[in-house]
Amino acid sequence: MRFFRSGLCAAGAMLFAAIGATAPALAQAPAAPVSGAQFGLQEGEAPVIQAIRVDGNQRIEPETIASYLVISAGDKAEPQLLDLGLKTLFNTGLFADVALEMMPDDSLLITVVENPIVNRVILEGNRRVKEDKITKEVQLAARTVFTRAKAQADVQRIIEVYRRSGRFAATVTPKVTPLEQNRVDVIYEIDEGPKTGVAKVNFIGNKNFSSSELRGAILTKESRWWRFFSSNSNYDPDRLEYERDLLRQFYAKNGYADFQVISAVAELTPDRKDFFITFTVDEGQQYTVGEVKVKTSLAKLDENVLERFVPIKSGETFNGERVEKATESITFATGASGYAFVDVQPRLDRNRDSNTIDITFEVNEGPRVYVDRINVKGNTRTLDKVIRREIRVAEGDPYNKVLIDRSKSRIRALDYFTEVEITDRPGSAPDRTELDVAVKEKATGSFSVGVGVSSTENFIVDFSIEERNLMGRGQTLRFRVQTSSRTRLVDIRFTQPYFLDRNLAAGFSLTNQRTDFKESGFVRDRYGFGLNAGFQISEYWRGSVQYQLARDKVTLDPDSFLFQSTRQVTDGTDISGEFVPGVTVPTLTPLYQITNSSGQVTGVTADPNATGVTGRYVLNGSPISQYTAFSCDLITQAFTPSCQSRGKFLTSLFGYSVGFDTRDDPIDPSRGSRFQFAQSIAGLGGDVQYLRSEINGAYYQKLFGGFIGKVQLRGGYITGYAGDDVRLQDRFYEGADSFRGFEVAGIGPRYLQGAGTRDGNIFGQAIGAKAYAIGTVEVKLPLPLPKEYGLRASIFSDFGTVGLVDDSNKTINNNLALYVDPVNGRLCSDSAIQTPSSPGLANCIKPIQDDLSIRLTAGVSVSWDSPFGPVRFDFAKVFRKEEYDRTEGFRFSAGTSF
């Protein structure tokens, strides 16, 4: 085995034991008379070459070797020509040693030692840097020709890889292991060394900002133990120039337009473990904004209108960032007005005497540029037309930055790609440009069999097959089977986004679903089908129409406290008057008392043979019986919301929606807005008549320091018509994900029961609402973690109101026997009931509670793109609620978009 060594300072010194002649030295020698003696010639002799023979070759054909010479058989053996041929053979890189010699028979003998072929390249000791990251940088690979120069270059490349990762003490020792058939294994032994950190970042010349403030403005951070996730606490020489720009941006944002970084110096400590970085700066003076104007030579542009897009006011501190934003805003405004060739240049006129800067935005016609070609790259599966139909410019159109940015947003909205980039490069003429649309595809199909839990479902078993980009055509097909503690679902859906190659989406769905609304005490079995179509109204506006036909069967939950009612009466009592006419009146069951050895009554039972039974149960001198009946058979319960909503219903529903979306990124927005208004009407056939209207809008805005703000408002109203009230299953139920801090259906109208309390709250049934209005203010936090971790966090506040039920649901509020005592958690006693104003009813409240009061919560939300799917954790504190609302401080669920 031959060894060679390289380090940080002497990468190529004494690289290998000698392998052949020192050809590079010959090749680099200065021009001088060539002696023929080295080629076996007498002084002044130049015989004619009779033949050329090759010796020592193993892989390379003799004819190939001879072809590199500048002479051939029949030429004179001039020493200068032989020397040139020798150098040419060395420069091919195929040989470790080459010798030319004229033989006595005037033949030229070429003796070669071929460079070996690399069998494999082995990396040893690379624990901190992945192998594929290194192999992308090195030249030597399997089946390539080995040379010392390539090995030297590879050593430097590997060291540079480690430098970029912050390891300046790394050394690389290359080794070569000879094999049979002139092959070698190349081994790079890597000593990674410790990670080179940043001991201190110093600033010289800063007077108006502290060094701590300036450290916060740059990317490089001082090495601390808690920054083990960050890659910015190691020294990177390529980052220094970027730090200069960050400092200039920081000072320009604070009014220092003359700021300069005089020098940026990094010094390595003697132990080679850390760097000291020192920035020397000249702050200059602070400016305020003087006069702000927009000047244009384009006749159809109004300067006064354009000034409205400038967010800069005279008298405020100069801010270079706002100047850039104003330039961008004017460019977009003119582009949206149809001016594709506009050049916006801000001119800054400094008034050093008054420390002010006059800003003039000069808007002139720029050079005319047209789109020559549009190239789509990286789509190995998705058809070209799926991507091209989202691009807002065509070949031959004027180059328009606004439409190109919009095209990128639309392609990302497909959610077929992890990366989307649109770049331009020179076209076939000076006024032509080509657009390269580069995408990186991601998996759009899924086959999953999962078992999980959530705060809402308790347990979930899910089987689904989904393809969102069917055969690369952009179609969506989904088949899903799910069962959980509250839902059983079979669902098939198909959507064609460009029906008949037009901008018209069309699809259908088939559904069979059983849902247990535990909070409302009923179970709904639904099966049906739906049709939908979507169409483009304008660039940002879109509309859709839907039709759904569904058969619902609504029954009371057998496990609900509402399902059965039990009452004790004296023997012989006629109970038929307590039941709805036409139902079967239950028979009375005698009750028996159970006593202990002391003769005390300890219980009551309907089993006369039970242990401890001593006779009939007697109250106030009368024997007592009881009956158990289906709650809805009782007159007092027949008009409760649950009983009114049970039965079989056919719903024929037609709906439409319109909305717009101007967000810069539909997946992870940082600015822009979205809005949707939807309305649906049931009653075009079927048994159900209602009109439902909903509105939903959100606004996104970048804040300071990487924070992103969101304000969202949504509301809805549903009302019956033609004498129909709104049934429980068609009402709005808010809470959990839709109003954090409350349980599922934990906010809104509630039917209270005299059955005690649960977790300190009045026990009752959510009956849904006809109206809701909920707002959200949320701020997404910048986390000091790599984006690949998939972690996001935000602080939020949800506020709003949920309420209104039909008057028919409130008729039971006229039955004083159903009033509830919330203090003792029971029905108010019959003896206390006289009138609603009686003293005995002081603690009693109506069973149907419906209050449009404002509720308010706030908290923290954390989402994680886990290997098992998106997960969201919500921690919420309720600041304002009603006594009957159901709250929760923590919830985890499937992740949602910000």
Side-chain angles (χ1 to χ4, degrees):
M1 182 179 290
R2 299 184 175 95
F3 296 87
F4 64 104
R5 180 179 303 276
S6 175
L8 186 61
C9 298
M14 300 181 66
L15 198 59
F16 293 96
I19 304 177
T22 57
L26 293 173
Q28 297 175 7
V34 179
S35 172
Q38 60 179 315
F39 303 111
L41 299 174
Q42 298 295 329
E43 188 69 30
E45 183 183 10
V48 175
I49 301 174
Q50 301 298 320
I52 298 177
R53 293 187 290 118
V54 178
D55 186 34
N57 60 309
Q58 293 177 315
R59 302 182 315 275
I60 307 173
E61 296 294 332
E63 294 79 4
T64 302
I65 297 175
S67 68
Y68 289 109
L69 297 177
V70 295
I71 56 177
S72 57
D75 294 337
K76 285 188 176 183
E78 298 287 350
Q80 291 81 2
L81 296 178
L82 293 175
D83 181 65
L84 181 59
L86 179 68
K87 294 176 180 178
T88 303
L89 285 171
F90 267 120
N91 289 336
T92 63
L94 298 174
F95 310 105
D97 190 13
V98 179
L100 302 183
E101 183 179 1
M102 289 297 299
M103 305 304 292
D105 59 355
D106 289 340
S107 64
L108 175 63
L109 177 64
I110 306 173
T111 304
V112 297
V113 176
E114 292 182 355
N115 274 326
I117 293 294
V118 177
N119 179 55
R120 56 178 177 163
V121 176
I122 303 172
L123 302 176
E124 295 181 353
N126 56 311
R127 294 183 299 275
R128 301 296 181 182
V129 179
K130 292 182 179 179
E131 185 169 327
D132 59 349
K133 190 173 183 179
I134 297 177
T135 54
K136 285 192 303 184
E137 298 290 336
V138 299
Q139 287 181 302
L140 291 179
R143 296 183 297 277
T144 60
V145 177
F146 172 83
T147 66
R148 291 174 296 169
K150 289 181 180 179
Q152 287 177 323
D154 284 350
V155 168
Q156 292 301 321
R157 286 187 175 93
I158 296 173
I159 290 175
E160 186 60 31
V161 169
Y162 276 92
R163 282 188 174 190
R164 292 199 298 265
S165 64
R167 296 182 181 273
F168 280 75
T171 59
V172 179
T173 302
K175 297 180 180 180
V176 176
T177 303
L179 303 173
E180 59 183 9
Q181 298 178 352
N182 198 26
R183 295 176 300 124
V184 293
D185 282 345
V186 181
I187 305 170
Y188 295 108
E189 290 186 349
I190 302 171
D191 181 4
E192 296 181 317
K195 193 170 186 177
T196 311
V198 178
K200 190 72 175 177
V201 179
N202 299 309
F203 294 89
I204 299 174
N206 53 310
K207 300 176 183 178
N208 298 289
F209 295 97
S210 66
S211 295
S212 177
E213 289 177 291
L214 297 183
R215 291 188 195 104
I218 63 176
L219 200 60
T220 300
K221 305 298 179 186
E222 295 176 353
S223 300
R224 298 293 184 266
W225 66 268
W226 63 83
R227 293 192 174 121
F228 53 88
F229 277 129
S230 175
S231 61
N232 295 329
S233 58
N234 60 278
Y235 172 67
D236 185 350
D238 297 333
R239 199 187 298 148
L240 273 187
E241 189 60 34
Y242 181 58
E243 307 291 20
R244 290 171 174 261
D245 289 336
L246 290 179
L247 287 172
R248 280 191 286 267
Q249 292 173 20
F250 175 80
Y251 271 92
K253 188 167 64 174
N254 290 278
Y256 295 87
D258 298 331
F259 171 82
Q260 291 182 339
V261 178
I262 298 174
S263 66
V265 179
E267 298 175 289
L268 185 63
T269 57
D271 60 4
R272 307 175 72 85
K273 291 183 178 180
D274 293 295
F275 275 90
F276 285 90
I277 301 176
T278 303
F279 293 95
T280 303
V281 302
D282 179 9
E283 293 182 324
Q285 62 186 22
Q286 188 181 39
Y287 292 91
T288 57
V289 177
E291 188 178 6
V292 181
K293 296 181 295 184
V294 176
K295 295 294 184 183
T296 179
S297 59
L298 302 177
K300 294 183 179 180
L301 290 179
D302 190 333
E303 296 176 352
N304 295 325
V305 173
L306 293 179
E307 287 180 1
R308 299 175 187 172
F309 293 92
V310 179
I312 305 174
K313 304 299 180 184
S314 179
E316 66 183 29
T317 302
F318 174 79
N319 188 329
E321 187 177 281
R322 287 194 175 185
V323 174
E324 293 179 5
K325 288 183 177 180
T327 303
E328 182 180 343
S329 296
I330 295 174
T331 302
F332 271 77
T334 54
S337 300
Y339 286 88
F341 311 107
V342 171
D343 180 36
V344 181
Q345 292 293 335
R347 191 182 75 236
L348 307 181
D349 297 319
R350 293 171 173 79
N351 304 309
R352 302 188 187 279
D353 295 338
S354 59
N355 291 343
T356 61
I357 293 181
D358 296 333
I359 307 174
T360 304
F361 294 94
E362 298 178 345
V363 183
N364 299 305
E365 186 172 8
R368 292 181 174 271
V369 179
Y370 298 89
V371 176
D372 195 6
R373 289 178 53 86
I374 299 176
N375 307 307
V376 179
K377 303 177 180 179
N379 55 319
T380 58
R381 181 168 175 270
T382 305
L383 299 181
D384 265 21
K385 70 175 185 178
V386 174
I387 300 174
R388 289 182 181 275
R389 65 195 183 193
E390 303 299 332
I391 300 175
R392 301 293 92 184
V393 294
E395 294 175 352
D397 286 354
Y399 180 89
N400 191 312
K401 179 64 174 174
V402 177
L403 296 181
I404 292 173
D405 288 346
R406 175 62 178 164
S407 301
K408 179 179 178 181
S409 179
R410 288 179 64 94
I411 296 173
R412 276 186 54 82
L414 295 174
D415 200 21
Y416 302 157
F417 313 104
T418 57
E419 297 177 9
V420 178
E421 293 295 335
I422 301 181
T423 56
D424 54 81
R425 56 191 175 93
S428 58
D431 63 342
R432 300 283 175 171
T433 186
E434 290 190 11
L435 295 181
D436 289 336
V437 181
V439 299
K440 185 176 181 181
E441 292 189 308
K442 66 179 181 181
T444 56
S446 64
F447 170 81
S448 64
V449 178
V451 178
V453 296
S454 75
S455 300
T456 304
E457 300 286 355
N458 295 335
F459 78 89
I460 304 171
V461 178
D462 195 349
F463 167 82
S464 66
I465 300 176
E466 182 178 12
E467 176 54 67
R468 295 183 293 103
N469 187 13
L470 187 64
M471 301 178 66
R473 299 177 181 274
Q475 301 164 337
T476 298
L477 176 65
R478 185 180 74 175
F479 172 70
R480 184 179 184 190
V481 177
Q482 184 188 78
T483 181
S484 68
S485 60
R486 61 189 298 136
T487 303
R488 292 203 302 268
L489 170 69
V490 179
D491 185 64
I492 301 174
R493 295 177 182 270
F494 176 80
T495 302
Q496 167 60 276
Y498 276 74
F499 185 60
L500 300 177
D501 284 330
R502 299 178 182 274
N503 196 359
L504 173 69
F508 69 87
S509 63
L510 299 172
T511 303
N512 188 338
Q513 182 178 22
R514 178 182 176 87
T515 305
D516 187 353
F517 292 86
K518 297 179 180 295
E519 297 78 15
S520 297
F522 69 89
V523 178
R524 183 187 69 188
D525 291 287
R526 164 173 286 187
Y527 60 90
F529 78 93
L531 302 173
N532 61 81
F535 51 91
Q536 201 78 29
I537 299 174
S538 67
E539 178 59 34
Y540 295 99
W541 283 83
R542 190 170 181 84
S544 66
V545 293
Q546 311 88 29
Y547 176 76
Q548 184 181 43
L549 184 67
R551 169 68 71 178
D552 291 339
K553 179 183 177 182
V554 180
T555 58
L556 292 191
D557 184 357
D559 298 327
S560 170
F561 68 92
L562 296 170
F563 189 73
Q564 287 185 334
S565 295
T566 300
R567 187 182 176 210
Q568 298 177 359
V569 297
T570 58
D571 285 359
T573 302
D574 182 11
I575 61 174
S576 61
E578 300 181 12
F579 289 84
V580 175
V583 304
T584 302
V585 179
T587 58
L588 296 178
T589 302
L591 294 179
Y592 300 88
Q593 66 182 15
I594 300 175
T595 59
N596 57 19
S597 58
S598 302
Q600 296 176 327
V601 177
T602 58
V604 177
T605 180
D607 183 5
N609 299 317
T611 303
V613 170
T614 58
R616 288 293 305 280
Y617 174 53
V618 178
L619 186 64
N620 297 328
S622 300
I624 302 299
S625 296
Q626 74 174 16
Y627 68 84
T628 300
F630 179 51
S631 296
C632 292
D633 289 345
L634 293 168
I635 292 178
T636 56
Q637 299 287 339
F639 295 100
T640 61
S642 293
C643 291
Q644 287 183 318
S645 295
R646 66 192 179 97
K648 295 182 179 179
F649 309 97
L650 180 65
T651 302
S652 177
L653 184 70
F654 173 79
Y656 70 92
S657 66
V658 293
F660 68 80
D661 191 342
T662 63
R663 292 175 295 175
D664 60 338
D665 190 323
I667 298 175
D668 188 18
S670 60
R671 69 182 181 196
S673 58
R674 59 176 175 81
F675 168 83
Q676 184 181 53
F677 173 75
Q679 199 167 51
S680 54
I681 182 170
L684 304 178
D687 309 317
V688 180
Q689 291 85 32
Y690 66 75
L691 176 66
R692 179 199 298 261
S693 303
E694 290 187 88
I695 190 171
N696 190 341
Y699 176 75
Y700 301 83
Q701 179 63 52
K702 285 183 179 180
L703 306 176
F704 57 90
F707 293 87
I708 299 174
K710 180 184 84 168
V711 177
Q712 179 176 351
L713 296 173
R714 58 189 187 88
Y717 181 76
I718 183 171
T719 183
Y721 66 91
D724 222 0
D725 288 337
V726 182
R727 292 169 175 81
L728 251 66
Q729 62 267 26
D730 298 321
R731 298 177 187 173
F732 300 114
Y733 293 88
E734 301 296 331
D737 294 335
S738 64
F739 204 131
R740 290 163 287 191
F742 294 97
E743 292 183 359
V744 175
I747 178 176
R750 193 166 291 269
Y751 173 35
L752 305 181
Q753 298 291 304
T757 60
R758 182 176 66 183
D759 302 333
N761 293 297
I762 303 171
F763 192 66
Q765 166 205 357
I767 59 175
K770 294 176 60 178
Y772 73 93
I774 297 174
T776 296
V777 176
E778 192 163 359
V779 177
K780 182 180 176 182
L781 309 177
L783 298 180
L785 297 173
K787 191 175 182 180
E788 293 76 16
Y789 285 22
L791 280 171
R792 295 175 296 277
S794 63
I795 56 175
F796 67 86
S797 176
D798 291 342
F799 53 91
T801 182
V802 182
L804 294 184
V805 295
D806 290 311
D807 292 338
S808 61
N809 292 149
K810 296 183 179 180
T811 55
I812 62 174
N813 283 348
N814 299 325
N815 188 344
L816 302 183
L818 296 179
Y819 273 50
V820 176
D821 180 358
V823 177
N824 300 308
R826 59 177 176 81
L827 289 173
C828 296
S829 63
D830 291 344
S831 60
I833 299 175
Q834 300 171 21
T835 65
S837 60
S838 300
L841 292 180
N843 294 325
C844 294
I845 60 176
K846 297 177 182 179
I848 298 294
Q849 291 293 312
D850 177 22
D851 193 335
L852 280 171
S853 60
I854 296 295
R855 278 80 159 182
L856 174 64
T857 67
V860 177
S861 181
V862 179
S863 61
W864 174 39
D865 295 332
S866 75
F868 312 102
V871 178
R872 192 177 82 181
F873 304 88
D874 293 321
F875 305 85
K877 171 71 174 176
V878 178
F879 292 97
R880 185 167 180 175
K881 69 180 186 69
E882 289 300 313
E883 185 180 16
Y884 51 84
D885 291 335
R886 299 287 297 170
T887 63
E888 62 181 8
F890 169 75
R891 164 169 292 273
F892 72 96
S893 58
T896 56
S897 299
F898 172 69

